[in-house]
Amino acid sequence: MLGGGAARGFAHIGVLRTLMAHGIRPDVIAGTSIGAIVGGLYAAGQLDAFEDWCRQLTRRRALGYLDFTIGGSGLISGGRLIRKLEDALGDASFADLPMRVAAIATEIGTGHEIWLTRGRLSEAMAASYALPGIFPPKLIGGRWLMDGALVNPLPISAARALGARLVIAVNLNTDNFGRGTIIQDHGPNAEDDARRAQREFNRSRRGIFRPIGCFIGSFSARPTGRVSRP
């Protein structure tokens, strides 16, 4: 399983190389974001070309693929990256692959986790890495899809569902796990304390003036006219 992690995803190439060197070839690949790209290219037999492209990728060349746009649904239109994937994959679909592959995406609006397992491979990859605000979402199967890392950054569940008995997971964000802790009391809040003190002060003022109001009210409640005696 190849998890999401942006540029860290180049490490997936080394993991796959090591597995192949030991005679381990997966029957199922489930990938999220950059994991979907590397996994899909590996399944399509394009891992060598992708590795060569990565090794030649300088900062200047990387910026050349970022076609910034104004007024769209993403900061980067992603057209250049899509064309690069299409050049490598052509019209290859999931059905053309020699193994079962799933690209994980998130449905906009519902937040549902979508497993892309059919259709054009390049479109599925684009949907899986469409980070909100950066890349525009992709319309596939009548659903607007975006980055799968939002719902399943390490798609072990998808691999199990596709029939994998032994799962090898590559987590690119393991250093971010285990840093959290539980804080049962978030501590004092000066603004809350000030508002609470003001409410108590207002309550106390109302308590002081309440007897005076009742005393004045008793006079206003008496009849003003004279009562004639028979």
Side-chain angles (χ1 to χ4, degrees), residues 185-196:
D185 186 355
H186 66 281
N189 188 312
E191 294 182 1
D192 288 345
D193 292 343
R195 285 194 293 267
R196 189 177 301 108

Side-chain angles (χ1 to χ4, degrees), residues 107-127:
E107 184 179 14
I108 297 177
T110 65
H112 291 161
E113 179 180 343
I114 307 297
W115 298 352
L116 300 172
T117 58
R118 57 183 178 177
R120 294 182 63 199
L121 194 56
S122 59
E123 287 187 350
M125 291 178 179

